[in-house]
Structure formats: structure tokens, C-alpha cells
Amino acid sequence: MVTETRPTTPVGVTHPLDPLTPDEISAASQIATSHAPRDGWRFPLVALDEPAKEVVRGFSDGDAIERLALVLLHDITTGDSVECVVDLGSEAVVRWTPLEGQQPFPLMEEFGRAQEAVRSDARWIAAMKSRGFSDEQIELIQIDPWPGGNFGTAWENEHRTLKAISYLRDSEESNGYGRPIEHVMAVVDLVENRVLDVVDEPGPAAPETSLDYRYNDIEPREGLQALDIVQPDGVSFTLDGHLLSWQKWQMRVSLHPREGLVLHQIAYNDDGELRPICYRASMTEMVVPYGDPSPTQYFKNAFDSGEVGGLGRLSNSLELGCDCLGEIVYLDGHVTNEFGGSRTINNAVCIHEEDFGINWKHTRTENDIPVSEVRRTRRLVVSAIATVGNYDYGFYWMFYPDGSWEQEVKATGIVQTIAADPDDPQITRHMIAPGLAAPIHQHFLCFRMDMEVDGGTNTVYQVDTQPLPAGPENPYNNAFTAVAKPLLSETDGEGVVNAASARHWRIANTNKVNHVGHAPAYLLVPGETVAMMAGPDAAVRGRAGFTQKQLWVTPYDDSEFYPAGDYPNQSLPGEGIPAWTAADRDIADEDVVLWYTVGMNHIVVPEDWPVAPVHRSGFKLRPAGFFEHNPALDLPAPDHCAHEMDHDSHDHSNHVGHNGHS
Ligand SMILES: [Cu+2]
């Protein structure tokens, strides 16, 4: 509501971190356009320009809210791009920065135009005809444009480009990925709307058929009885605008057009005191390098945030009972429609609770009778799913009553494919179906976490478990310890995982002391991950410098959000984290930002075809001296469990269970 006391606050905005409303997206585009009107302007991105942390921390309900928007403009007729910040209240342009030598990610419109340009190009048509395809077959060919990367050629350094590959289909609905056309690759100039070049080399024939995965094509298995999640009394969380509260946890949830799901101000209500843990958490860049040198594969290393256009704008509308099960609360997402208006993604974020087994249990013996005490736990799941071409990525932030939280990435969808002869040596690709292989590849997802454990300044320690030397203090040679090395500056510490020492990182507030004399802390615990395998001189290694380590720690800087640089599309090596950390800034007892990269190694197997079962990876954050004891001690025992606890477990007839066993 606009009132006299909140003069600049637009309708529907109740907090400075609320994402832009549809009206604000349109207004921001309009204000930016008015500054320098051009017919060719399109809008790759319109997003909230987040206020300074001091403003957010000092905000009280009802305060006036200043709203700034970041507007990216791209002129499709000239290729000019501008980064612009507008003040929505005064309708003024605050900053207007033309981009020099940087490419915003391609528009949806440009992907479409690239397909048309390829389809009508005489060289591409000739390449298809030379493979014996009929006019009808050529009409049905699926054309996939890819961000072209930067391999130091004129294609990338002098043009705004996409690289396109092709697939045979029997109909518009067929799974084209089963019939890749080797080795044809077209390079498209997106400003001139023309194909610059077509690479056409001899290659294996496209497979004769493709396996499909859609419901109508598969006979469903039988025997699965109904499995429902029922919460007759409703959910245990509340969502007030974007403020989510659940079981002592509190956070703000939004969908950012580029980053997808963003959580702000993650905090825990500890006996009435709201203790901050993380100011902002999101996945701000990812890259998927493929390891096959073929002409249709070598350039595949999409940065799905900065090159393809963002996990937010590519988010799905989630469906009840399909993507999420049970009592669901959704948040819509609003993004630019690229033409100056907005587009709403209904149900872009899913919020629900899941049963998660037991949090704790102990069985003791009383009067020779075993007695169990057990508490079931559950988790709050905040999730979104984005479809990026052939792949689908789910991002699941999960919170637990014991003070821990975690991120689980779920990668699924259709793998990239390459036609292969039966005698293919299968070194950089592996057969998944007759005539069809899939290139080896990796997925790297960099999570930016602006930590504020118990306050705005933290110190990060690298913790390694190791044996102690033999000697008078260790006469039995059994002693071992955990060595915590404080990271004083950006180049301190290894930053790479080490399973042998159970290496993890402790984010501590050394300005506070807990009940046993230590700094309250959270631990960052790695999950399954992997190092980048592209060679030392590979273009992608330089452009995705953030993958050199799993963990980087930087002091907060409001210009540092994207670890491969703001504009990784066709970028040169060295941007982002490697450039920032070269200054080796101090990070001890500072406002620190953690950049943790999840790596997924994908040696593709036949079971990944024709649609890959979900591959999970992620990391955990666990309290370490943040609480005085297990904070889940107070989880209630369900009535019948408390009752059962008193029974003699040898007497099976007293136990719940269909056949007398439990
Ligand atoms: Cu994969």
C-alpha cells in the first residue's frame, strides 16, 4: 500500500529484499528505454538491485522502501548492450554503463532466430542432403543452438554467436537426442542473423531409431499402492510475503531471474533470540564441460547461469503431486519477457515438509528390559527446478530441526549424445544404445553463501583430522586430532576437498564465546564432488577459474556475485574469482563470502538413457558449538512411541505392525 509514511513503496512490496513485482519489471524497462529510446532494445535481465545490507538490517515493518532495479538492455539490431540501474521511485536512471567487449547471454528470441538462420542456410542444407536425408526429413530436423564459448577465433571475438548442432526426428514430438547428426556444426551471428560458417566433416551415421520416454510410449509397471503425505492439521510453516518461518528457522525466499532460488537472512530462533547464519545463499554460476573432442562436442561447456540466461527465467511451473508431494505452498516467480513486460512463472518455488526418518535414538536396558527412546525428524524443503536445454536441474535447500541445513542438487533430463560406430574405442564417450554414445562430462555448480554466523564478521578455518606424532604425550600411538587452520587471506588454505582427512570448513564468529569457551560456528561439509578434468590450457578451465578449488573465501564486495564474471558469454579467461582473489585480501574476522562448488562426474551409462534418473550431489551445513546441546532434544515423541517405549520388546504381540513384528 502506498501511504504517506511509505512514499516510495510500491504495491505488493513489504520488504527491501522482495523481488521485483510484474509492475516494477515493466516500469524499470520503460524508465531505462526512455533514457535512450531505440526500437532494437530487448531486455535479457531485469532484477532487483539489492539494497545495502545496512539498509536491510535496519529495516522495520512500515519503513519506506527505496526500490532500485538492474536492467540489462541489448539492441538486437546493433549488438550494443547496456547495464542500467533505475530508481523506481523517482523514475530516474541512476547508472547507464555501456558494455565494452562483453556479451549478455542470448535472448530466447536469439535462440529462435539462430534456429531459423541455420535451417535456411544453403551450406547446412547441403550438409544434410549429402547425408542422404530427404526434404521431409530435413524439415523435421531439431536444431539446438549452444553458447559458443571462446576458443580464441574470430567467430567468438568479432561476433555475437551461437553454435548449432542437429538431430533427426520422425516427428516434431520425437526424442531427437537419440539420432544426432555427426559432424555438422553451424556458427550463427545473432546480430546479422546469418550463419558465419558450417563445419562439415565425415562422421558416423545417425542411429536409425530413438528410444522415447514419454508416458504414452511406455507401459507403466503395476503394484504401486497409493502413498500419500497427509497433514490433516495443515503445514507447520508460515509464509508471510516472502518470509518463511518453520520450527525456529526463518528465511526470505525469492526467485532471481539469473540465479534461480535465492534465500536471504537464514536465521535460527534460539529461545527468543533470532541468530543470523547466512545473509544470502544461491547458486550463482555453473558450467558443464564435455570431454569429447569431436566437432559437435568440443565447444560444449555451457555456463547455465551467465551464458544460457539463468536458472530463474528457465524455472518450471511446479505441479502438485508431481514435483512435490503433500501439503505444498508455492511462490510464483516474475521475470522479464525480454520485450519490456513481465512473465510470471506460476508455482516456481515449492515449499513443503517431508518426513526424514529419525533424528535420534537410544536403546538402554532397564531391569534387563531394553527400552528405546526415539524421535522422528522431518525437514523443510524449499525447491525449484530449471530446464536448461536437454538437462533439468533441481535445487533443494533443506532445513532440519537439529540446526543443520543442506543443499541437494538433482540433475536429470536427457544426456548429450553423439552418433558412434560399433567399433568406437569409447575413450571420451560411451555407448548407451546401438549406434549411440554419450560424451563424458562434468557438472560444476558454484554456490555463493554470504555467511553471518552469529553476526556480520566471521573467520573460516580449514579443518583436517590427522594423527599426532609418537612421543611422551602419545605413548600408545593412538592419538589423533582435528587441526583447524584459520584462513587469514584469500590465498590461504588448500580450498580443495580431502576425503582422507575428512576435510571440512568451520565458519566461526570469534567475537562470541559459547558455553564451553569456543566461538560459535557452522561447518561446511562437502558431499560427492570432483575436480575439473579439462587440460591446463583448455579454454573452459580459464573461463571457469572458480572450478580450480571447491572452496574460495572472499571478503564481501557488492560487485562480486558471479564467480566466472558478470558476463561469461564468450568471455576471455581469468574473470571472476581468479581476478578478485589475486589481491589476496584479508578474510579473517571479516564479512566473508563462501563460494563452494559442487562437482558431478558423469561417465554416462545405458541406464541414463533415454531420460536420466536423478543424480544427487550437494553439501551440508552443520552447527558446531552454535548451540549448547542437540537442539532437537525437544522434538516431541509421538504418543504411541512413548507408549511403546514401556513395553518389553521381546513381546512382539504388543508392537505395532501387521504381523506382530516391528
Ligand atoms: Cu550429466
Side-chain angles (χ1 to χ4, degrees), residues 391 441 443 602:
Y391 252 101
H441 64 277
H443 307 249
H602 203 165

Side-chain angles (χ1 to χ4, degrees), residues 179 261 473:
R179 305 181 71 190
L261 193 52
E473 304 284 310

Side-chain angles (χ1 to χ4, degrees), residues 563-641:
D566 288 352
Y567 299 99
N569 188 21
Q570 299 178 228
S571 66
L572 296 169
E575 291 186 29
I577 282 185
W580 308 332
T581 56
D584 199 19
R585 296 166 292 186
D586 289 343
I587 52 172
D589 196 22
E590 294 283 347
D591 181 358
V592 292
V593 178
L594 271 56
W595 310 78
Y596 181 77
T597 295
V598 172
M600 292 173 158
N601 206 46
H602 203 165
I603 305 160
V604 186
V605 294
E607 289 83 352
D608 290 329
W609 181 252
V611 61
V614 162
H615 182 156
R616 295 172 165 81
S617 191
F619 56 90
K620 291 185 168 66
L621 291 126
R622 293 208 309 256
F626 192 84
F627 300 103
E628 290 192 6
H629 49 66
N630 179 353
L633 261 190
D634 62 351
L635 279 173
D639 289 347
H640 70 276
C641 300

Side-chain angles (χ1 to χ4, degrees), residues 133-145:
F133 305 147
S134 68
D135 288 346
E136 269 169 47
Q137 281 180 304
I138 293 174
E139 189 84 357
L140 283 169
I141 284 173
Q142 170 186 329
I143 296 169
D144 277 19

Side-chain angles (χ1 to χ4, degrees), residues 306-364:
E307 265 191 343
V308 182
L311 283 298
R313 77 165 186 166
L314 299 174
S315 284
N316 294 179
S317 283
L318 302 175
E319 285 182 52
L320 182 61
C322 308
D323 298 293
C324 303
L325 187 63
E327 292 289 322
I328 310 296
V329 173
Y330 295 102
L331 262 181
D332 293 342
H334 306 291
V335 298
T336 171
N337 68 0
E338 300 187 353
F339 294 93
S342 70
R343 176 167 66 88
T344 293
I345 303 167
N346 294 319
N347 299 349
V349 178
C350 168
I351 302 167
H352 72 285
E353 293 171 275
E354 287 178 354
D355 179 271
F356 196 61
I358 61 171
N359 178 268
W360 59 266
K361 174 167 187 167
H362 185 61
T363 301
R364 61 185 182 273

